[in-house]
Amino acid sequence: MACMAVTPAEILDFAASLPETSERDYRGDSTIFTFRGRGIGLVTGDGRHLFVKALLAERDVMIESDPEVYAEWWAAGRYGWVRVRLDRIDLAEARELVLEAWRLTAPKKLVRDYDAAHPVA
């Protein structure tokens, strides 16, 4: 699958478009993006990886489906963070991963309001 590498700026711009998200510098020139202060994703300073929150079961499916793209990272409770190679996915997929991480963290009413305002074509 040939993909154009997704840039950290593209990911951070999309994350910033989601309600009540913010970003801050993190270790090693990385940038973390959060919902109300709770981490939902991180892009590395070298632009090679996105780390994003997911349900453990979904993370495991991603890794099994394409271990060249997805890898296990940190886990707590029912959530497992996944490491994603940005040179192996397209922007639509990166946005979907970020949006899903936001949905896992934001209150249900805010998610419903966002989804109503942004219907899937």
Side-chain angles (χ1 to χ4, degrees):
M1 171 170 88
C3 291
M4 294 294 296
V6 178
T7 68
E10 289 171 316
I11 291 169
L12 295 171
D13 287 349
F14 178 71
S17 76
L18 298 171
E20 300 187 48
T21 59
S22 58
E23 67 181 59
R24 66 178 185 273
D25 292 339
Y26 197 65
R27 293 180 239 172
D29 294 327
S30 297
T31 303
I32 190 169
F33 48 98
T34 63
F35 172 81
R36 296 182 183 171
R38 297 188 321 204
I40 57 174
L42 172 136
V43 290
T44 57
D46 63 9
R48 294 180 57 199
H49 295 101
L50 164 68
F51 293 85
V52 68
K53 181 179 184 179
L55 291 173
L56 275 173
E58 291 177 1
R59 178 186 74 175
D60 292 346
V61 168
M62 284 187 266
I63 293 167
E64 189 175 306
S65 72
D66 198 342
E68 294 293 315
V69 176
Y70 304 103
E72 192 174 307
W73 195 44
W74 187 79
R78 63 188 188 123
Y79 300 110
W81 286 60
V82 63
R83 185 187 75 206
V84 184
R85 285 186 49 186
L86 291 176
D87 65 339
R88 304 288 293 234
I89 64 170
D90 62 28
L91 184 55
E93 186 174 356
R95 286 180 171 176
E96 184 58 36
L97 292 168
V98 170
L99 181 58
E100 186 58 29
W102 177 84
R103 283 185 174 125
L104 291 172
T105 310
K108 288 179 179 147
K109 181 180 182 333
L110 188 58
V111 171
R112 280 192 308 269
D113 291 348
Y114 177 86
D115 288 346
H118 300 86
V120 177

